[in-house]
Amino acid sequence: MHNLHLKFNKILALVKDTLQNHLDKTGNVPKVGANPKFSDAKVIALSLMAECLMIDSENYLFKILHSQHKQHFPNLISRSAYNRRRRRLLTQTTYLRQQLVEKLIPWEDTFVVDSMPLPISQFARAKRTRICKESYETAPDFGFCAAQQITYFGYKLHSICSIDGVVSSFDLSPASVADIHYLQDIRSRYPGCLLLGDKAYLNHELQLELFETNRLKLHTPMRRNQKDYVRQPALFRKVRKRIETAFSQLCDQFNMQRNYAKTFEGLMTRIIAKISGFTLLQYLNKFEFNNKLNHVKHALI
């Protein structure tokens, strides 16, 4: 990581360019009072760089910066200040990711929907843990993952991605919430589109309602014991696996299922940073490095 500062500068330039209408000339979100010397744009860029380089621990990140790159990061803030400002800049990070997604998939009309488990503690400690329990509305719960055949304590990450593997939208819910409820939240965002899901989204009444009200066509495989069973086309089965590959990349490279956060806000900050980092590497592969879109493992290494 001897050229870590060069990677940071590349990401920083992209952050400033994308958020130019949300930042002042010093790279900070306009506010009353003195501007920090280590700008908001640098905080966002540092967060994304750490995720892209598979540095999942803030302590380890700052140990590297202080021991090997102190001269390249003047006015570097403390780790605790970085953590607070990173959470405060969640809106700007989300907007940055959305802008990158619009450039990656400007005319997409076919998407895949799925969910993955996000455990936040060991199952044996679930009843006594205080992680993310500061509010009843956002508290975790027990759930079952049919794909992995495990019962866990935490959340579900619901996601919609393009057929190329670009995460278009996502959200969290307690682990006990059924996958199909997520469609009610996103139905107005994808009018006239084809949405491919697995058997967890099989509901004839909802499929009809989505098509009649939003022209959103939900296609799911049929169960074998259903009347007039027809096997799902091979092309749809192949496309539907794209989101499973994206989930695997998020878990393998970005440690999505490893949790260091103690609050729900901290957990959301980690998840948004990881998915934003994933989208950023896809953007760089397509527009900067001329690589295949989803070859993100070593894009910046």
Side-chain angles (χ1 to χ4, degrees):
M1 297 183 184
H2 61 281
N3 59 346
L4 182 144
H5 64 286
L6 298 179
K7 300 167 185 175
F8 171 79
N9 290 334
K10 177 180 283 292
I11 295 175
L12 178 61
L14 179 60
V15 170
K16 288 183 175 180
D17 181 64
T18 307
L19 297 178
Q20 57 182 325
N21 295 328
H22 294 75
L23 304 174
D24 60 21
K25 61 181 180 181
T26 65
N28 290 288
V29 177
K31 63 178 181 179
V32 177
N35 286 322
K37 293 182 179 180
F38 196 82
S39 67
D40 293 333
K42 290 182 179 180
V43 173
I44 296 174
L46 187 59
S47 173
L48 295 178
M49 183 198 68
E51 298 296 348
C52 292
L53 295 179
M54 297 178 282
I55 303 175
D56 195 41
S57 167
E58 291 179 3
N59 282 326
Y60 181 57
L61 170 64
F62 275 77
K63 182 178 180 181
I64 293 175
L65 294 178
H66 283 295
S67 62
Q68 303 177 25
H69 303 279
K70 194 171 184 178
Q71 69 277 16
H72 297 124
F73 292 86
N75 305 312
L76 181 64
I77 54 179
S78 65
R79 187 200 61 80
S80 59
Y82 165 77
N83 183 279
R84 291 193 301 272
R85 291 178 61 188
R86 186 188 187 198
R87 285 185 274 122
R88 194 163 61 241
L89 293 167
L90 205 58
T91 301
Q92 287 73 25
T93 304
T94 300
Y95 177 80
L96 169 69
R97 190 194 69 82
Q98 292 171 342
Q99 293 300 302
L100 297 181
V101 169
E102 289 181 6
K103 294 178 181 178
L104 284 167
I105 49 171
W107 307 109
E108 191 70 42
D109 62 356
T110 303
F111 297 89
V112 188
V113 60
D114 204 353
S115 68
M116 65 176 287
L118 287 180
I120 63 166
S121 72
Q122 294 293 330
F123 187 82
R125 301 177 183 174
K127 290 186 178 181
R128 65 177 185 270
T129 186
R130 300 178 63 181
I131 298 175
C132 297
K133 289 185 177 180
E134 66 273 13
S135 172
Y136 174 79
E137 289 78 10
T138 58
D141 200 356
F142 291 95
F144 179 75
C145 177
Q148 301 180 23
Q149 291 294 303
I150 59 169
T151 302
Y152 67 99
F153 180 74
Y155 298 92
K156 278 183 182 177
L157 175 68
H158 303 272
S159 179
I160 292 181
C161 81
S162 70
I163 58 176
D164 291 327
V166 178
V167 177
S168 174
S169 60
F170 63 93
D171 203 355
L172 282 188
S173 74
S176 59
V177 175
D179 291 355
I180 202 166
H181 293 303
Y182 177 58
L183 299 180
Q184 300 289 359
D185 298 333
I186 56 88
R187 59 191 301 168
S188 61
R189 303 182 200 173
Y190 299 92
C193 293
L194 172 62
L195 192 60
L196 303 176
D198 58 19
K199 293 176 184 178
Y201 301 91
L202 181 58
N203 186 306
H204 179 70
E205 290 76 16
L206 179 61
Q207 287 175 291
L208 185 60
E209 180 187 350
L210 290 174
F211 183 76
E212 290 180 344
T213 58
N214 302 96
R215 295 300 171 188
L216 173 58
K217 186 175 182 181
L218 174 63
H219 196 290
T220 62
M222 298 177 66
R223 295 189 176 92
R224 291 184 180 275
N225 60 356
Q226 282 186 265
K227 186 178 180 180
D228 300 325
Y229 168 78
V230 177
R231 184 175 172 83
Q232 190 180 39
L235 178 61
F236 284 5
R237 297 199 304 272
K238 181 179 180 181
V239 170
R240 198 158 47 84
K241 290 182 179 179
R242 179 59 257 180
I243 195 169
E244 297 174 5
T245 303
F247 283 161
S248 296
Q249 290 176 299
L250 286 170
C251 292
D252 175 48
Q253 180 173 348
F254 294 88
N255 295 313
M256 180 66 80
Q257 292 181 319
R258 180 187 297 170
N259 177 45
Y260 292 138
K262 298 297 185 289
T263 65
F264 182 75
E265 183 186 20
L267 177 65
M268 281 300 299
T269 301
R270 284 175 58 83
I271 290 172
I272 290 176
K274 292 177 185 301
I275 297 180
S276 298
F278 180 55
T279 306
L280 172 64
L281 290 179
Q282 291 175 318
Y283 178 88
L284 292 176
N285 275 341
K286 183 173 182 177
F287 296 107
E288 295 279 344
F289 302 146
N290 199 27
N291 293 337
K292 291 185 178 180
L293 183 70
N294 292 300
H295 286 189
V296 299
K297 185 81 172 181
H298 306 290
L300 281 181
I301 297 179

